Amino acid sequence: MKRIGHPVKNDLQFNQREDYQKNLLRKIEAARTQIKLGGGKNAIEKQHAKGKLTARERIALLCDSGIAFHELNLFAAYGMYEEYGGAPSSGTIFGIGKVSGRDCVIIANDATVKAGAWFPITAKKNLRAQEIAIENRLPLIYLVDSAGVFLPLQEDIFPDKEHFGRIFRNNAIISSMGIPQISAIMGPCVAGGAYLPIMSDEALIVKGEGSVFLAGSHLVKAAIGEDIDNESLGGAVVQSNISGVTDYVMQNDKECILQIRSLVSKFGNKGDAGFSRIKSAPPSFAEREILGILPEDTFKPYDSYELLARITDNSEIDEYKAGFGKSIITAYARIDGWAVGIVSNQRSITKTEKGEMQIGGVIYSDSADKAARFIMNCNQKKIPLVFLQDVTGFMVGSKAEHGGIIKDGAKMVNAVANSVVPKITIILGNSFGAGNYAMCGKAYDPRFIYAYPNAKIAVMGGSQASSVLLDIKIKQMEKGNKVFTEEDRKKLFSEIKNSYDEKSNPLYGAARLWIDDIISPLDTRRVISDSIAYASNNPEMPKFNPGIIQT
């Protein structure tokens, strides 16, 4: 066990970095607060006027008192669908909460946003929620209050494999796996959307507000000429006492939520994953100092050991191959008592035993080889993996190519892809190109993936990409005999870079569900600990098979 870290110098650079990070956090929190208003105060008042709770109020009542609801994908649809007035959080709230002492995935339609209508990203968000429930064997609770598919975008949500219908397919798969699903119909539930609650294991419906049918009264009139109102067609009493479609008739939202809590309280315990956990110990250095360690410019170096010293218990690690492959740190440690295997990019410039200098954040052949072996060790020992990404990519050039960088990179990617222990990924700064893949980006099935406010997710850095795109653009325009001045070049470069940087921003990625949440660096330990706790609900651990890894 090795103690790491040093006291920080509370100097001008530290204070400037800290102020920069705090300002980023303020902007993120301002956006978060605005999103939580959903469709706005007027829409919330209309919901209350009907005697209904809002989606967030329902979740707060459902979850155990004093234990925070861990919301995920809150920034879904941020900056999207502006031509339709926007869709804050995609009109759906989802996360993990304690219900009668049991971790549950909770999904609630927000009826203040377009009457809870489903946008394309809403379906993707619901699929992500179901994926988390499946991987971690967590019960699912759906609080349904939706007008159905947002019709102007129906072609982007209806027919494809990962569209609306996949949700109902998942309902069937989840039940077959023995994972409980409970649905509460607390508002309209129309057409294809009617399958979601009814394909759950048990369904509750609120009298006077909840309704479920394949076609509402207007469509019934148009289709077959029958005159009938929605309550008589598919209201609570009809669907519970006549058709037998729903199982419990509830008088109001509060009674419905209390009934769900009662049902969950009777679930049996199916065991846990058995990950090692001992009594938690705080780091030897204050976690708040992370803000002054991270640079404002993500291309500037910093010592990643100092970051680890403010995350790990007692600021201690068992470092694997400490003197080899120094551009990646691989170490066993404990975080909030949990045993973890850490794979972290080293952002400082390091020197190899041969005296060669290695650029921080770049993956070299020896680092990739070391990381692949370490990942296999963690799988053998049933230790969850934590990937701390701040990577600009793999090393390039003739020396790297002749040294077999592609082969060694493939080893690491293979090990990550086949890893079966829970993987938690946090993007600290850069996440570029194949480095994103090797360090367990979204495509490699991390159980949970988060980002710091200063994260950048792209094929390459903004300046490099903009130079390439500028050259292409200029060559295209020169074919039309357009002459470029230096001022024209600078202006065009600035426009391209601004556009590229905007799309590398973590808010852009969070809107599209590339990450589950943007977190404060000060919450790193808690988020990792919570994520492993959720993952520990799944007692089944497939055998690790690394496939063919060349040596």
Side-chain angles (χ1 to χ4, degrees):
M1 189 71 75
K2 180 172 75 172
R3 184 69 61 91
I4 55 174
H6 301 87
V8 296
K9 292 180 180 178
N10 198 1
D11 55 13
L12 178 61
Q13 183 188 62
F14 179 89
N15 292 327
Q16 286 176 336
R17 288 179 170 184
E18 185 179 49
D19 287 345
Y20 177 80
Q21 298 294 338
K22 284 181 176 179
N23 191 45
L24 286 179
L25 285 170
R26 279 192 289 269
K27 291 178 180 178
I28 294 294
E29 289 311 307
R32 196 186 301 273
T33 300
Q34 182 61 40
I35 290 168
K36 284 184 176 181
L37 289 174
K41 292 180 179 178
N42 289 339
I44 291 171
E45 288 171 4
K46 287 179 182 178
Q47 187 92 336
H48 288 160
K50 297 176 183 177
K52 298 170 66 174
L53 299 174
T54 64
R56 293 191 179 278
E57 289 167 342
R58 289 166 177 167
I59 291 171
L61 189 61
L62 178 63
C63 293
D64 294 353
S65 178
I67 302 177
F69 172 64
H70 187 174
E71 185 169 357
L72 298 166
N73 294 153
L74 175 137
F75 295 101
Y78 183 85
M80 299 170 66
Y81 311 121
E82 296 296 339
E83 65 272 37
Y84 302 107
S89 207
S90 78
T92 299
I93 299 160
F94 120 75
I96 301 170
K98 286 275 188 193
V99 179
S100 298
R102 179 69 64 99
D103 286 330
C104 295
V105 171
I106 302 167
I107 308 171
N109 301 119
D110 186 351
T112 70
V113 179
K114 301 289 191 297
W118 289 62
F119 288 77
I121 203 71
T122 315
K124 187 176 180 181
K125 184 171 176 176
N126 275 258
L127 289 170
R128 175 60 178 148
Q130 290 179 321
E131 179 181 46
I132 286 174
I134 291 169
E135 288 182 332
N136 302 291
R137 299 300 189 271
L138 297 176
L140 266 160
I141 299 171
Y142 304 95
L143 305 180
V144 184
D145 192 348
S146 172
V149 168
F150 187 67
L151 290 177
L153 297 172
Q154 64 86 24
E155 74 277 11
D156 295 321
I157 186 174
F158 170 64
D160 212 342
K161 179 179 178 180
E162 294 188 345
H163 283 177
F164 202 39
R166 188 75 172 184
I167 293 166
F168 318 135
R169 174 264 187 193
N170 285 354
N171 286 139
I173 298 298
I174 291 166
S175 288
S176 74
M177 295 174 70
I179 301 171
Q181 297 178 90
I182 296 175
S183 284
I185 302 166
M186 310 176 89
C189 187
V190 187
Y195 285 108
L196 186 149
I198 308 312
M199 291 191 72
S200 299
D201 304 303
E202 292 184 273
L204 305 84
I205 186 166
V206 177
K207 192 175 181 179
E209 289 296 339
S211 57
V212 55
F213 32 63
L214 293 181
S217 56
H218 291 295
L219 186 54
V220 167
K221 174 70 173 175
I224 63 173
E226 181 182 0
D227 269 315
I228 191 169
D229 61 80
N230 283 339
E231 191 65 24
S232 303
L233 179 65
V237 174
V238 169
Q239 295 291 28
S240 295
N241 299 347
I242 298 175
S243 69
V245 167
T246 52
D247 306 308
Y248 305 88
V249 178
M250 300 287 104
Q251 295 303 312
N252 52 51
D253 283 4
K254 289 183 179 179
E255 184 184 64
C256 184
I257 288 167
L258 290 174
Q259 180 66 49
I260 295 172
R261 287 183 54 80
S262 179
L263 293 171
V264 173
S265 72
K266 297 172 180 65
F267 289 174
N269 190 343
K270 296 185 179 180
D272 61 36
F275 302 131
S276 172
R277 191 181 195 188
I278 62 174
K279 185 178 179 181
S280 176
S284 299
F285 304 95
E287 200 169 1
R288 67 175 182 275
E289 293 174 351
I290 294 174
L291 299 182
I293 291 170
L294 296 171
E296 308 95 316
D297 183 348
T298 58
F299 283 95
K300 288 184 178 178
Y302 63 91
D303 189 349
S304 298
Y305 287 103
E306 296 301 333
L307 182 75
L308 295 180
R310 286 148 183 88
I311 295 173
T312 59
D313 290 12
N314 295 316
S315 301
E316 292 177 335
I317 61 173
D318 293 311
E319 187 169 6
Y320 175 77
K321 291 185 179 289
F324 181 76
K326 291 183 178 181
S327 73
I328 289 181
I329 300 168
T330 50
Y332 304 105
R334 289 195 181 272
I335 294 177
D336 195 26
W338 294 104
V340 297
I342 295 172
V343 181
S344 173
N345 300 110
Q346 168 58 297
R347 283 306 316 276
S348 68
I349 297 172
T350 57
K351 183 184 282 189
T352 68
E353 295 301 314
K354 297 177 182 178
E356 299 169 331
M357 302 305 293
Q358 291 191 340
I359 302 167
V362 175
I363 301 176
Y364 292 79
S365 283
D366 52 0
S367 305
D369 180 79
K370 176 177 78 170
R373 293 170 187 271
F374 179 73
I375 290 164
M376 288 190 277
N377 287 350
C378 289
N379 275 270
Q380 181 191 53
K381 298 169 185 175
K382 205 174 182 180
I383 300 174
L385 283 158
V386 174
F387 290 85
L388 300 177
Q389 278 199 21
D390 198 341
V391 57
T392 52
F394 284 88
M395 191 59 190
V396 296
S398 60
K399 187 174 182 181
E401 295 293 355
H402 297 171
I405 185 66
I406 295 175
K407 177 188 70 176
D408 291 319
K411 290 182 193 176
M412 184 176 176
V413 170
N414 197 329
V416 173
N418 284 288
S419 177
V420 297
V421 295
K423 297 171 289 194
I424 294 98
T425 299
I426 302 179
I427 302 172
L428 312 177
N430 302 312
S431 180
F432 295 157
N436 171 282
Y437 303 156
M439 291 296 293
C440 198
K442 185 66 183 288
Y444 288 79
D445 298 322
R447 292 287 180 96
F448 301 92
I449 179 168
Y450 307 99
Y452 282 179
N454 207 25
K456 291 178 173 58
I457 309 166
V459 171
M460 63 181 77
S463 295
Q464 297 91 327
S466 299
S467 295
V468 173
L469 293 170
L470 177 65
D471 287 344
I472 294 170
K473 188 81 171 174
I474 288 174
K475 286 176 183 177
Q476 288 174 340
M477 291 185 169
E478 284 177 343
K479 288 180 180 178
N481 297 320
K482 182 173 174 61
V483 178
F484 274 86
T485 65
E486 187 59 30
E487 186 177 340
D488 290 334
R489 293 175 67 93
K490 287 180 180 178
K491 183 180 178 183
L492 187 55
F493 178 85
S494 178
E495 289 173 356
I496 293 171
K497 187 174 185 302
N498 289 340
S499 174
Y500 194 89
D501 286 345
E502 179 187 342
K503 293 175 182 178
S504 306
N505 187 290
L507 279 170
Y508 189 91
R512 289 154 181 80
L513 311 191
W514 302 346
I515 54 176
D516 290 319
D517 196 12
I518 302 170
I519 65 168
S520 166
L522 308 185
D523 290 332
T524 304
R525 275 172 58 84
R526 177 188 61 78
V527 165
I528 292 171
S529 177
D530 287 349
S531 298
I532 297 173
Y534 303 144
S536 71
N537 284 281
N538 183 359
E540 300 174 26
M541 190 65 60
K543 184 178 179 182
F544 176 66
N545 181 357
I548 299 171
I549 295 184
Q550 293 176 301
T551 57

